[in-house]
Amino acid sequence: MEYTEEDERLIAERFAELVAVCESKAICHSDDDRAIIVRAFNVAKEAHKGVRRRSGEPYITHPIAVARICVEEIGLGVKSVVASLLHDVVEDTDLTVEDISQMFTPKIASMVDGLTKISGVFNAETSEQAESFRKMLLTLLDDVRVILIKIADRLHNMRTLGAMPREKQVKITSETIYLFAPLAYRLGLYAIKSELEDLSLKYRFPEQYNEIEAKLEATKRRRAELIDKFDEPIIARLRENGVDFEISGRVKSVYSVWRKMQSKQVPFEEIYDLFAVRIIFRPSPVISEKTQCWYIYELVTDIYPSRPDRLRDWITYPKANGYEALHTTVMSPDGLWVEVQIRSERMNQVAEQGVAAHWKHNYLTEDEELLPDEKFDNWLGRIRDALSSPTENAVDFLDNFQRSLYTGEIVVFTPKGESRQLLKGATVLDFAFEIHSKLGVTAIGAKINHKIESIYTELKSGDQIEVLTSKSAAPVVEWLDHVVTTKAKQHIKNYLRRNRQQSTERGKELFEARMAELGIVPGARVFRKLLPAYHSSTKDEFYGKVGAGTVLLDGLQDVLRQNSASKYLKFWTLFQGNRSDRDDGMVVGGREWNEEEGRRFEIAECCIPIPGDDVTGYREPASGKIVVHKTSCSELTRLASQHGENIETGIRWSSHKAMSYLSIISLQGIDRVGILLDLVGVITGELNINIRELRIQSHDGIFEGEVSLYVTSTDDLNAVIGKIKKIKGVDKAQRINS
Ligand code: MN
């Protein structure tokens, strides 16, 4: 099918517009540049012949529009225009990448190839799509222009989404809001990001979109007045001081108003910070841009009081996407907080065109090759780290990556004073892994600004961090809840994966030993109780958790007791009277508690005696049972002084070595990461004693806690205490109420 006359006219007109834009942006440096654009246009026009978009327009209008966005809104050059014009050719027509390579250049062919590969990404199922997205990002590492063109492609498709059927709209807007808008943001394309968001909202929730848009329109005049009134004294003051500048009021986008209404659950009328003011200055040749920014800041905050906690200095530390500006929030005469953004013309261009402008100003080579700068390279490096780990499940990866696109950044320092950029919310662990994976896996704490802090401490911009390590430290699952960077997550997951098998085996051993001790055969019924109680869905998961130390077998009995009549106290073997010297548990001539008789003896909760302790009983008049206290117990002394007739003497322990008794040790020391694991390791590992409960609280670098454990005798208990005292960081370990 040939183009109609009408088509020809429309196509020629659109292409002429593109050429005009290229001229006005002066991207063509020679006649060759102009010729190659025309050639690409002709190839694409011929290739897409007979195909129409849903809107009815000839398909070629789409590549032309994408090329125009690349030049006009992103600031890309000739190669990108050519690649844009050809971006759907390989996928939709008979032309191959080799054909393109021969007709144009290998570089352009590889860009088109990248764009072709990407387009398969969004047609697949979720996990497959995530996997393809990972591949797509790999092409980003080769040439960021490929991604920029893809964003332009998406922007044009969003602008023309009205022609699509409803279910396609939902799918496309979802992808846009989930990936493309964040990606545009991360690449510094703020205007495009904002438009993508607005368009997504418009097609996803048309009524809400229209309502907000109408309200913004209705309040426009009032807002303009407010902005004028706000700007007036600033304009006067800046002029007085010889600043060459422009000032403009920027209204919040429909999408950001909507987001705020959603997150705060308030109506439109209660969104107050509807606008921000932007001051763009032409730099003076003699003073640095940075100095001028701060000078303007001073002039503005002389007029309006500022909120110190809202000052953002993106000049000293530009965002990873290259954004530079000084933001301050000041109180307007009407009592509203207004954000004022201060930028030079150059900074403004970076803010509007993102990485492309950044490179253009600083790093573009003659061949239009993009040389990444250090900060952006760091970001790419982080993505590369994430991508090069093939083990992570693609959907997880995508979520992590997606999250990392939107998060803000902080700047922190190594002990040597080198700055590092981290995602907002990053902890000591993130920092440690950022420096080196080895530092990460052995981290036990840190000196933040010379003060000792835990590895979970969230870092603030300006912190100086010295990571403290220990050879015995190792990542645990819990760490994953305390890191935000992809890099740290990856390393921890990899480590855990390697250790999982080991943990599962160890956990199984620990569990089985414990069950054997309790005389329970761990059958299906037992696991039905245990797995939900320990938030595990499989036996292996449960074993893994036990082995990794993230689940302690404390309370195991409580869990099992729910469907078992056996109670721990059954095993107490106290007796009263004389007995033989034999220690096989036989009792001669005394009273020993047994099940038939009911509970005769009960261990006093105030002092919790254990075998080996000298004990005295107190008979409760009502129940007749004998509560056994340590003879030295002050509570017993009190009781004896008032009800001496109820005191029972001659109570002794029988020596059942297999039985264990509950005892509590109080602990105190200097908090450090891993101390809990060390404690558990010493008690359960080296001494093979069961912990019933372990509680640790820490504050200001000090921890205090209690371990309730089962020991067989005072000798046993003293041995545990001795071991615990040797653990690094433990200051005090003593038996409670002894
Ligand atoms: Mn396209």
Side-chain angles (χ1 to χ4, degrees), residues 75-91:
L76 294 172
V78 173
K79 283 200 182 70
S80 305
V81 170
V82 172
S84 301
L85 287 169
L86 299 170
H87 84 270
D88 281 331
V89 158
V90 173
E91 205 201 348

Side-chain angles (χ1 to χ4, degrees), residues 143-183:
D143 194 335
V144 180
R145 283 176 297 191
V146 172
I147 291 294
L148 295 173
I149 295 168
K150 192 64 201 172
I151 289 172
D153 182 30
R154 175 54 57 124
L155 179 59
H156 185 243
N157 286 335
M158 287 297 292
R159 283 175 180 170
T160 52
L161 198 60
M164 281 287 175
R166 183 76 191 129
E167 70 277 7
K168 273 253 178 182
Q169 287 181 350
V170 171
K171 177 175 153 47
I172 292 172
T173 51
S174 307
E175 286 164 10
T176 301
I177 214 65
Y178 190 74
L179 286 175
F180 283 93
L183 201 52

Side-chain angles (χ1 to χ4, degrees), residues 174-202:
S174 307
E175 286 164 10
T176 301
I177 214 65
Y178 190 74
L179 286 175
F180 283 93
L183 201 52
Y185 169 82
R186 207 64 173 110
L187 294 169
L189 303 165
Y190 292 98
I192 290 179
K193 169 228 171 206
S194 185
E195 188 178 348
L196 287 173
E197 287 173 343
D198 274 2
L199 288 168
S200 297
L201 184 65
K202 182 175 170 180

Side-chain angles (χ1 to χ4, degrees), residues 224-294:
E225 286 167 14
L226 280 176
I227 293 174
D228 282 349
K229 191 168 145 202
F230 179 83
D231 287 355
E232 213 174 305
I234 296 178
I235 294 170
R237 185 73 59 94
L238 294 190
R239 285 209 182 122
E240 271 164 38
N241 288 277
V243 182
D244 187 4
F245 69 100
E246 269 164 27
I247 190 164
S248 59
R250 193 179 60 97
V251 180
K252 250 189 166 40
S253 72
V254 177
Y255 180 80
S256 56
V257 172
W258 177 78
R259 270 273 301 256
K260 198 147 199 178
M261 286 166 65
Q262 297 293 313
S263 67
K264 300 239 150 108
Q265 288 293 313
V266 294
F268 178 88
E269 288 67 28
E270 282 174 39
I271 308 280
Y272 294 113
D273 51 344
L274 282 170
F275 67 95
V277 166
R278 188 174 289 161
I279 298 168
I280 298 163
F281 64 93
R282 274 167 287 280
S284 133
V286 284
I287 313 165
S288 78
E289 288 183 346
K290 184 174 174 178
T291 306
Q292 286 181 86
C293 281
W294 285 105

Side-chain angles (χ1 to χ4, degrees), residues 546-684:
V546 174
T550 53
V551 154
L552 302 179
L553 290 174
D554 59 345
L556 184 62
Q557 285 161 302
D558 295 330
V559 173
L560 294 172
R561 195 174 294 162
Q562 289 165 16
N563 64 346
S564 156
S566 69
K567 292 221 162 81
Y568 196 75
L569 285 174
K570 274 184 192 168
F571 300 106
W572 290 119
T573 53
L574 282 161
F575 71 97
Q576 193 173 21
N578 299 314
R579 58 171 291 167
S580 74
D581 286 330
R582 297 188 309 166
D583 63 357
D584 60 1
M586 291 295 292
V587 177
V588 181
R591 294 187 296 172
E592 181 164 5
W593 180 86
N594 66 56
E595 210 160 3
E596 285 77 39
E597 246 181 79
R599 181 184 297 178
R600 169 150 300 162
F601 294 106
E602 195 165 288
I603 298 300
E605 280 173 12
C606 52
C607 55
I608 317 177
I610 58 167
D613 283 331
D614 190 6
V615 292
T616 300
Y618 177 77
R619 193 180 62 252
E620 285 191 350
S623 63
K625 73 184 170 192
I626 297 169
V627 180
V628 179
H629 294 258
K630 277 191 263 175
T631 303
S632 60
C633 174
S634 57
E635 175 62 11
L636 180 79
T637 308
R638 190 185 67 79
L639 289 167
S641 70
Q642 291 165 24
H643 311 281
E645 71 283 7
N646 294 336
I647 294 297
E648 296 273 355
T649 54
I651 296 175
R652 297 196 170 76
W653 300 93
S654 70
S655 53
H656 286 263
K657 282 220 168 92
M659 296 300 162
S660 30
Y661 302 88
L662 186 64
S663 191
I664 303 175
I665 299 171
S666 80
L667 302 164
Q668 212 180 64
I670 297 156
D671 194 19
R672 69 172 170 85
V673 172
I675 194 140
L676 194 71
L677 282 177
D678 285 359
L679 275 168
V680 174
V682 162
I683 299 166
T684 62

